[in-house]
Amino acid sequence: MLFWKDHTGYQYEITGAVGNGYAMGGYDGGGLNALIDGVIFPSDTSFTSGAWLSVARDYGAGCNSATQGYALGGSDSSVIDGVVFASDTSFTSAATLSVLIKGSAGCNSSVQGYSMGGYNSTTGGDIDLINGIVFSSDTSFVSAAVLSVIRHYVAGCNSSSRGYAMGGRTPADGNPSSVVDGVIFASDTSFTSAAILSVARDSGAGCNSSTKGYVMGGKNSGTGAPYQTVDGIDFASDAGFTSAASLSVARDSVAGCNSSEQGYALGGYSNISSLYYDTIDGVIFASDASFTSAAILSVSRSGAIGCSSLNVTVQGAPGGGG
């Protein structure tokens, strides 16, 4: 069994690969989409949710609480909405992002969901802003932390204590970034990791195990070339790594999510093939090997917003070992 301790000291038990991986919204080649679908982790089968986004959009930040999956912004929006896991129904939050944002990185602590960086259509530029939603009160917040480099199309993930923004596209030259930075949850302060991505890129899929943060796929925004690469950061050592796993198809604009055992890349696009994908593939954490799921998305699309539901139960008190 996998145990996880959050930044408040509470220990959680994550019971196997129970739950779903969600792809919310996206662009299907004909227009923006409000669809929510994905993969059921234990059975490796597809599902289509009864929930829909309140506003069709792509390139939002995805995150999740224990009970809900959130889509923050996207397509120059400040909307926060998503899916209630237990009832498989839609919700729209009373909270909104502080500015209109597209292409930000999503992550979450146990108490808040974060949108990091992105492109602000109001000012017409990239931002270093970190903001989001407080789960319990359904209210907005703006973090005192900011990214070290302004950029958009960033991949996001989190450890139990930090939210990570990985890669992205920088506005100065339009080229991809290898920077890894973000927010320390407990102190609400910024950090810049000593790690960098092995391949500078934007529009990758972010996910995490209990020990590592992963970026899967993405593209070189200078050349447009898509990648199959899987790399990221080792949380304990603050060092970069390159996985032996690779995506089955090189593509960018991929939604990322994870079970306790695997990291998933859902959908995407390649300007080499000019195809939108329904593929679901990724990395097996324990073996560092690739997999391709038997599940596929119900609609091939790019720029979907990823999140996960997991069966998480509290085990013990603050400061408990494990």
Side-chain angles (χ1 to χ4, degrees):
M1 293 183 181
L2 176 66
F3 292 92
W4 173 67
K5 189 184 295 179
D6 71 17
H7 71 282
T8 67
Y10 276 96
Q11 180 177 294
Y12 298 83
E13 176 189 322
I14 302 177
T15 55
V18 177
N20 297 337
Y22 294 80
M24 303 181 287
Y27 180 81
D28 60 18
L32 295 173
N33 206 302
L35 176 71
I36 300 176
D37 59 0
V39 57
I40 301 170
F41 296 144
S43 60
D44 195 38
T45 55
S46 308
F47 76 92
T48 301
S49 174
W52 293 76
L53 296 183
S54 62
V55 179
R57 59 200 197 276
D58 61 0
Y59 292 111
C63 69
N64 49 269
S65 69
T67 59
Q68 297 186 157
Y70 294 79
L72 293 80
S75 298
D76 303 320
S77 170
S78 62
V79 171
I80 299 176
D81 56 4
V83 57
V84 180
F85 297 142
S87 60
D88 194 38
T89 55
S90 309
F91 75 90
T92 301
S93 174
T96 60
L97 297 181
S98 58
V99 296
L100 306 180
I101 298 177
K102 178 178 182 176
S104 60
C107 72
N108 55 266
S109 69
S110 59
V111 295
Q112 295 186 158
Y114 294 78
S115 166
M116 303 181 288
Y119 177 86
N120 178 1
S121 62
T122 303
T123 62
D126 286 21
I127 55 176
D128 56 9
L129 177 70
I130 299 176
N131 64 166
I133 180 169
V134 180
F135 297 142
S136 61
S137 61
D138 197 36
T139 55
S140 308
F141 75 90
V142 177
S143 175
V146 295
L147 297 185
S148 62
V149 178
I150 59 172
R151 60 202 197 274
H152 67 290
Y153 296 150
V154 191
C157 75
N158 52 266
S159 69
S160 60
S161 60
R162 294 184 173 190
Y164 293 81
M166 303 178 290
R169 183 185 302 180
T170 58
D173 53 14
N175 286 324
S177 172
S178 59
V179 170
V180 178
D181 55 3
V183 57
I184 301 171
F185 297 142
S187 60
D188 195 37
T189 55
S190 308
F191 75 90
T192 302
S193 174
I196 58 172
L197 299 183
S198 64
V199 178
R201 60 201 195 276
D202 67 73
S203 307
C207 72
N208 53 268
S209 69
S210 60
T211 59
K212 291 180 176 179
Y214 295 79
V215 181
M216 302 177 289
K219 72 177 179 182
N220 183 321
S221 46
T223 67
Y227 291 110
Q228 294 174 272
T229 305
V230 178
D231 61 0
I233 180 170
D234 184 285
F235 297 143
S237 63
D238 195 39
F241 74 90
T242 303
S243 174
S246 62
L247 297 187
S248 60
V249 179
R251 60 199 197 277
D252 62 81
S253 305
V254 191
C257 70
N258 55 268
S259 71
S260 60
E261 299 171 356
Q262 297 186 159
Y264 293 77
L266 298 85
Y269 175 78
S270 167
N271 66 359
I272 302 300
S273 65
S274 298
L275 292 175
Y276 294 87
Y277 289 92
D278 58 9
T279 305
I280 300 175
D281 54 4
V283 57
I284 301 169
F285 297 143
S287 62
D288 196 38
S290 309
F291 76 91
T292 301
S293 174
I296 57 173
L297 297 183
S298 61
V299 175
S300 299
R301 60 199 196 276
S302 66
I305 304 162
C307 74
S308 307
S309 66
L310 293 172
N311 185 7
V312 180
T313 55
V314 174
Q315 299 284 316

